[in-house]
Amino acid sequence: MTEKYHRWYSQNLGLDVEMLVFGDRGYPVILFPTSQGKYYQNKDEGLIDSVKWFVDEGLVKIYCPESFDWLTWYDKSVHPSERARRYAWYDKMLLEEVAPWAMHETGVNKVATAGCSFGGYHAANFAFKHPDKTGHMFSMSGAFDITQFTDGFYNDDVFYNNPVDFLPGSSQPDLWHMNIILGTAEHDICREDNNRLSYILNQKGIRNWLDVIGIGSHDWPMWKAMFPHYLTTIK
């Protein structure tokens, strides 16, 4: 399995961004780390190895960018308005830098987004904000209501980066053509978050698979079982 390290200066963030890329061809998958995880976390925890066959067969090419959680929603040293503003910049970096890069390299006109735990939030937020750029969204034990990080503060940057708020009013047609999987478990701490998001999607008539497994917990062994299964749905 080929692996490449990239580092570049992002004009959107005003910071260097680091990213690992696995594979040399296939459908582009942007895979986010869990809460405050680094760009190499999914490799270190074995999630990349769990889908090695898909990468080696040229079915997917996986992009693992930095999340910058410690500078956005998790940075309690700054006002929530600043956390939200920084996250809006991060979303712009994904939209204008990472996604076009992935689409150009693979020759595919959309990306898939994926992530575990807080990575599922990143995956869902990007996918639902930019369905014209996203063909598949795989969340594993995701949590989707960002207001838990804003200390009661609310503005447009919070609204437009909070899927449970902006999604009900969205009419972007590509939402109805996206492959959406919400993976969780009966005793997952984020199960209710997934139930809520699936309900919102169902109310809009947007097809989604709420995959609630009977065993497993909010941890890597479950996610390493889910991820390869979900990749089989990419057509």
Side-chain angles (χ1 to χ4, degrees):
M1 179 167 54
T2 62
E3 174 184 334
K4 293 182 179 178
Y5 167 79
H6 297 280
R7 180 173 181 162
W8 74 97
Y9 180 78
S10 168
Q11 295 290 342
N12 286 301
L13 287 172
L15 296 167
D16 283 349
V17 178
E18 294 177 280
M19 180 170 70
L20 287 180
V21 180
F22 300 90
D24 55 16
R25 65 192 188 282
Y27 201 100
V29 180
I30 301 175
L31 178 62
F32 298 95
T34 66
S35 302
Q36 304 193 71
K38 300 292 288 182
Y39 66 94
Y40 48 77
Q41 184 198 47
N42 285 307
K43 175 190 174 183
D44 288 358
E45 294 290 348
L47 193 65
I48 297 297
D49 279 343
S50 76
V51 296
K52 182 178 185 297
W53 181 85
F54 295 87
V55 177
D56 287 344
E57 291 296 311
L59 300 175
V60 297
K61 186 169 183 176
I62 301 180
Y63 297 77
C64 297
E66 193 65 82
S67 69
F68 295 102
D69 290 341
W70 57 93
L71 289 177
T72 59
W73 303 122
Y74 279 84
D75 188 356
K76 297 295 187 179
S77 71
V78 298
H79 190 270
S81 63
E82 182 64 16
R83 299 173 212 163
R85 181 170 64 168
R86 291 176 183 177
Y87 194 81
W89 294 342
Y90 178 69
D91 176 72
K92 197 164 184 283
M93 183 276 292
L94 295 173
L95 178 65
E96 297 182 354
E97 299 173 38
V98 176
W101 181 340
M103 290 187 284
H104 175 74
E105 282 193 340
T106 59
V108 179
N109 64 0
K110 288 190 175 185
V111 300
T113 60
C116 308
S117 192
F118 201 62
Y121 158 75
H122 295 302
N125 190 68
F126 183 88
F128 297 144
K129 283 185 73 173
H130 312 293
D132 57 321
K133 307 295 184 186
T134 312
H136 305 263
M137 196 287 288
F138 308 129
S139 169
M140 294 157 276
S141 299
F144 311 106
D145 190 345
I146 209 64
T147 57
Q148 62 182 301
F149 294 94
T150 62
D151 305 327
F153 175 80
Y154 200 84
N155 67 359
D156 281 353
D157 282 337
V158 175
F159 176 86
Y160 286 111
N161 289 290
N162 197 33
V164 297
D165 282 347
F166 72 74
L167 184 58
S170 179
S171 59
Q172 297 187 70
D174 287 285
L175 286 168
W176 281 264
H177 301 287
M178 191 185 300
N179 175 32
I180 301 167
I181 303 180
L182 305 174
T184 186
E186 286 187 9
H187 302 293
D188 189 341
I189 59 174
C190 290
R191 179 178 175 181
E192 287 308 311
D193 293 84
N194 287 269
N195 290 345
R196 179 184 179 189
L197 184 57
S198 182
Y199 176 80
I200 291 170
L201 292 165
N202 290 335
Q203 288 295 105
K204 295 179 68 65
I206 297 173
R207 180 175 53 89
N208 67 97
W209 175 23
L210 176 61
D211 181 27
V212 183
I213 67 172
I215 58 173
S217 62
H218 192 91
D219 207 352
W220 293 98
M222 182 174 75
W223 303 331
K224 286 188 281 188
M226 286 176 165
F227 194 34
H229 183 40
Y230 297 164
L231 289 188
T232 65
T233 67
I234 294 180
K235 306 298 182 184

